[in-house]
Amino acid sequence: MIHSFLMIGQSNMAGRGFLQEVSPIHDEKIKMLRNGRWQTMSEPINCDRSTSGISLAASFASSWRLFHNQEDDIALIPCADGGTSLDDWSIEGPLFHNAVFQAKAAQKISTLSGILWHQGENDSNGKKHQSYIEKFALLIKTLREELHVPHIPLIVGGLGDFLQYGMYGQYFNEHHEVSKVLLEFAQNHDNCYFASAEALTANPDNIHFDAVSQRKFGIRYFKAFQQKAHILGTVKDEDKIIEQINNRPLTKNEKSELLQYQFAMGTISADEFQNQFAEINKGS
Amino acid sequence: MIHSFLMIGQSNMAGRGFLQEVSPIHDEKIKMLRNGRWQTMSEPINCDRSTSGISLAASFASSWRLFHNQEDDIALIPCADGGTSLDDWSIEGPLFHNAVFQAKAAQKISTLSGILWHQGENDSNGKKHQSYIEKFALLIKTLREELHVPHIPLIVGGLGDFLQYGMYGQYFNEHHEVSKVLLEFAQNHDNCYFASAEALTANPDNIHFDAVSQRKFGIRYFKAFQQKAHILGTVKDEDKIIEQINNRPLTKNEKSELLQYQFAMGTISADEFQNQFAEINKGS
């Protein structure tokens, strides 16, 4: 069985963590949607911009795998788009249409099991938070209706505490208010859970969660999903869970895929490929 | 006005040229579709796999810009998917559905002006070339009908001469036959033109056109489109055109976007960003 999760929101859902700052996640039972079909997940998952990087979705999926039976697959549907406001996600707009199309494509080949939302930086000024709940409720209601999943869990996350400190800080002067309405929304809507961004840190731009923080955030999103509860601060064992994820031994398939990648990228020769491939598959 | 082009086929349309082997193309008037909206083009355009890289689409767009009025924009709709056979592109399948959805999304915000196809490696054995023309004709006829563009130009390209020499050469032993049927198809169908892959070279895998060759191939696709003619060999001035593309001076916007990229990626500080930004926009 494949359980799929829709990723929607703006850049911090798409992910801007630097790839080189964390251990890569290779797990053949984590998939991502590409052109209507599943592929083995690799980061960046959500290629909306040239700056795409580590998002919370990979560690969300990895922690789901740790706490779920080992037969099932988890799959990610990347539809987040950098720099988008809540109004950009209007149900008449292209982002919403695209997300519905992609989720429906995924529903043909999986069970849609959750919606992951992170957005709000672009609504962090000009009192936009005052209409956030109403607009967001319509978006989620319509999305659930269109996809025929009235009770599907929705996980939303708080905004980074660092937002006011950067070069663009003036544009985010109401980020606390946006985090507050996201929590309020979760508290007042069925099947909606909040994940705190407490103590998470940023890239040098002070806009985007760094890669290490995205890994932690993914675990908090997962805990909210698993426990059907709001996660109001750091998760005690998040570092330990990341360690567990990083220490997972690779399967033969995963080793072979990595080898194929290296060969395709020209970093190992055909001979090296064949030798290492034989080594991996020895005795099988 | 925005003229858009649909990219379909397998990995050599998606592009696997190594990014570091050619000069990047920055042109604010070349766009790519992301989540139903246009973004400034950056490579890789078609992020179907972790190995995505330079495709023919960027230099196709750049040469279109050289020979077109400077007011119009060109936009790319990436829907190619690595390792796919012609059967995978069946009109009932997910790849076709996705391409139709993406092209329709683009049609809301542009004039769909051409279809770029490169595929056939996965049909280069087992006599699959014998049914290629019939299957491909149905695919193209249906695509043109669904998009309401009955006369839209279609450009197809030949397969690499190197295919038989690699580690996977045995799977491509009929690639000459596939190239032949692609040419035959173009010769016998209205508004369809062929671009030769003559003398193009490969990555070390001997499967994928290298980045330099993809740049040349894009120019051949453009010449076929511009001249409404089959390009049966190398294009005489392709190196000169690439030089022209590489020597195009950046606009202020392009310089600012590059600077923003560097800042987002943490390679320049906020101070450096602000100094250089002021320098770029001096006097404006």
Side-chain angles (χ1 to χ4, degrees):
Chain A
M1 188 172 177
I2 303 178
H3 299 259
S4 59
F5 291 82
L6 179 62
M7 300 164 62
I8 46 179
Q10 61 175 112
S11 55
N12 277 319
M13 175 54 68
R16 299 290 187 261
F18 301 151
L19 295 167
Q20 69 279 9
E21 289 187 353
V22 287
S23 298
I25 292 176
H26 302 290
D27 185 335
E28 59 180 312
K29 294 184 81 62
I30 306 177
K31 311 288 185 189
M32 59 183 180
L33 198 68
R34 287 292 187 263
N35 299 312
R37 311 191 315 164
W38 298 129
Q39 301 299 334
T40 305
M41 187 276 285
S42 62
E43 293 178 279
I45 298 164
N46 193 113
C47 302
D48 58 319
R49 297 292 184 283
S50 55
T51 47
S52 293
I54 302 294
S55 75
L56 60 87
S59 60
F60 174 87
S62 281
S63 40
W64 184 93
R65 287 262 297 131
L66 282 176
F67 293 91
H68 200 87
N69 80 60
Q70 291 305 296
E71 283 69 51
D72 288 1
D73 289 19
I74 180 168
L76 302 164
I77 309 160
C79 295
D81 202 88
T84 52
S85 66
L86 188 55
D87 284 340
D88 288 330
W89 283 92
S90 131
I91 58 172
E92 282 90 32
L95 298 173
F96 184 82
H97 282 161
N98 179 65
V100 168
F101 175 81
Q102 302 290 347
K104 283 187 176 174
Q107 284 180 309
K108 290 185 190 167
I109 49 177
S110 68
T111 302
L112 190 64
S113 303
I115 299 171
L116 312 179
W117 172 264
H118 194 281
Q119 193 276 340
E121 290 87 348
N122 269 45
D123 293 83
S124 289
N125 64 46
K127 306 282 175 207
K128 296 191 196 85
H129 61 90
Q130 292 176 351
S131 55
Y132 197 99
I133 288 183
E134 193 188 339
K135 288 176 185 173
F136 189 50
L138 176 66
L139 160 59
I140 294 303
K141 183 176 162 280
T142 313
L143 188 59
R144 283 175 168 155
E145 280 169 9
E146 294 236 355
L147 301 174
H148 307 291
V149 285
H151 308 299
I152 196 170
L154 163 72
I155 318 297
V156 303
L159 305 188
D161 282 331
F162 44 75
L163 283 166
Q164 73 261 35
Y165 302 121
M167 190 170 75
Y168 299 109
Q170 54 177 313
Y171 299 111
F172 307 123
N173 61 321
E174 292 162 7
H175 70 88
H176 289 301
E177 287 84 344
V178 175
S179 289
K180 237 170 93 179
V181 298
L182 282 160
L183 173 59
E184 199 185 315
F185 180 93
Q187 286 169 329
N188 292 304
H189 287 81
D190 288 341
N191 305 306
C192 179
Y193 309 103
F194 179 87
S196 164
E198 188 184 310
L200 297 183
T201 51
N203 286 343
D205 63 6
N206 272 311
I207 299 175
H208 297 115
F209 294 112
D210 59 39
V212 170
S213 291
Q214 286 279 15
R215 289 279 189 258
K216 292 180 186 173
F217 213 11
I219 291 165
R220 297 182 195 176
Y221 266 65
F222 169 70
K223 289 277 183 186
F225 174 81
Q226 182 198 32
Q227 300 174 2
K228 296 181 189 298
H230 310 304
I231 304 298
L232 298 174
T234 59
V235 164
K236 238 189 184 169
D237 54 350
E238 56 196 21
D239 288 322
K240 224 174 97 186
I241 294 174
I242 290 173
E243 217 183 291
Q244 257 181 292
I245 292 169
N246 291 341
N247 290 338
R248 176 182 167 276
L250 296 182
T251 65
K252 280 187 186 184
N253 277 343
E254 287 154 11
K255 286 182 192 167
S256 298
E257 276 192 23
L258 268 177
L259 215 53
Q260 268 153 8
Y261 174 81
Q262 291 174 293
F263 177 61
M265 299 305 283
T267 53
I268 57 170
S269 69
D271 281 351
E272 285 170 299
F273 174 84
Q274 278 161 332
N275 290 340
Q276 291 189 42
F277 192 83
E279 189 64 29
I280 290 169
N281 293 288
K282 214 164 55 181
S284 66
Chain B
M1 189 174 177
I2 302 178
H3 300 258
S4 60
F5 290 82
L6 179 62
M7 299 164 62
I8 47 178
Q10 62 174 113
S11 56
N12 277 319
M13 176 54 69
R16 298 292 187 260
F18 301 150
L19 294 167
Q20 69 278 11
E21 289 188 355
V22 287
S23 299
I25 291 176
H26 301 293
D27 184 336
E28 59 179 312
K29 294 184 81 63
I30 305 177
K31 311 289 186 189
M32 59 183 181
L33 198 69
R34 288 290 187 266
N35 299 312
R37 311 191 314 165
W38 298 129
Q39 300 300 335
T40 304
M41 187 275 286
S42 62
E43 294 178 277
I45 298 164
N46 192 116
C47 301
D48 58 318
R49 298 290 184 283
S50 56
T51 47
S52 292
I54 302 293
S55 75
L56 61 88
S59 59
F60 174 87
S62 280
S63 39
W64 184 92
R65 287 262 296 130
L66 282 175
F67 292 91
H68 200 85
N69 80 60
Q70 292 306 295
E71 283 69 50
D72 288 2
D73 288 20
I74 180 168
L76 303 164
I77 309 159
C79 295
D81 202 89
T84 52
S85 67
L86 189 55
D87 283 342
D88 289 329
W89 283 91
S90 131
I91 57 171
E92 282 90 31
L95 297 172
F96 184 81
H97 281 162
N98 179 65
V100 168
F101 174 81
Q102 302 291 347
K104 282 187 176 175
Q107 284 180 310
K108 289 184 192 168
I109 48 175
S110 68
T111 302
L112 190 64
S113 304
I115 299 170
L116 311 179
W117 172 263
H118 194 281
Q119 193 278 339
E121 291 86 347
N122 269 45
D123 292 85
S124 288
N125 64 47
K127 305 281 176 210
K128 296 191 196 85
H129 61 90
Q130 290 174 353
S131 54
Y132 197 99
I133 288 182
E134 194 186 340
K135 288 176 186 173
F136 188 51
L138 176 66
L139 161 60
I140 295 301
K141 182 175 162 283
T142 312
L143 188 59
R144 283 174 166 155
E145 279 170 8
E146 294 236 357
L147 301 174
H148 308 291
V149 284
H151 308 299
I152 195 169
L154 164 72
I155 317 297
V156 303
L159 305 189
D161 282 332
F162 44 75
L163 284 165
Q164 72 263 35
Y165 302 120
M167 191 170 74
Y168 298 109
Q170 54 178 315
Y171 299 110
F172 306 122
N173 60 321
E174 292 161 8
H175 70 88
H176 288 302
E177 287 83 343
V178 175
S179 289
K180 238 171 92 180
V181 298
L182 282 161
L183 173 59
E184 200 183 314
F185 180 92
Q187 287 169 330
N188 292 306
H189 286 80
D190 288 341
N191 306 307
C192 179
Y193 309 103
F194 178 86
S196 165
E198 188 184 311
L200 298 184
T201 52
N203 286 344
D205 64 5
N206 271 312
I207 299 175
H208 296 114
F209 294 111
D210 58 38
V212 171
S213 291
Q214 286 279 16
R215 289 279 190 255
K216 291 181 186 173
F217 213 10
I219 291 165
R220 296 182 196 177
Y221 266 65
F222 170 70
K223 289 278 183 186
F225 175 79
Q226 182 198 34
Q227 299 174 3
K228 297 179 185 298
H230 310 304
I231 305 297
L232 298 174
T234 60
V235 163
K236 239 190 184 167
D237 54 351
E238 56 196 20
D239 288 321
K240 226 174 95 187
I241 294 173
I242 290 173
E243 218 182 291
Q244 258 180 290
I245 292 169
N246 291 342
N247 291 337
R248 176 182 167 277
L250 296 183
T251 65
K252 281 185 185 184
N253 278 341
E254 287 153 13
K255 286 181 192 168
S256 298
E257 278 193 21
L258 269 177
L259 214 54
Q260 268 153 9
Y261 174 81
Q262 290 174 294
F263 176 61
M265 299 305 282
T267 53
I268 57 170
S269 70
D271 280 351
E272 285 170 299
F273 174 84
Q274 277 161 333
N275 290 339
Q276 291 189 42
F277 192 83
E279 189 64 31
I280 290 169
N281 292 287
K282 214 164 53 180
S284 66

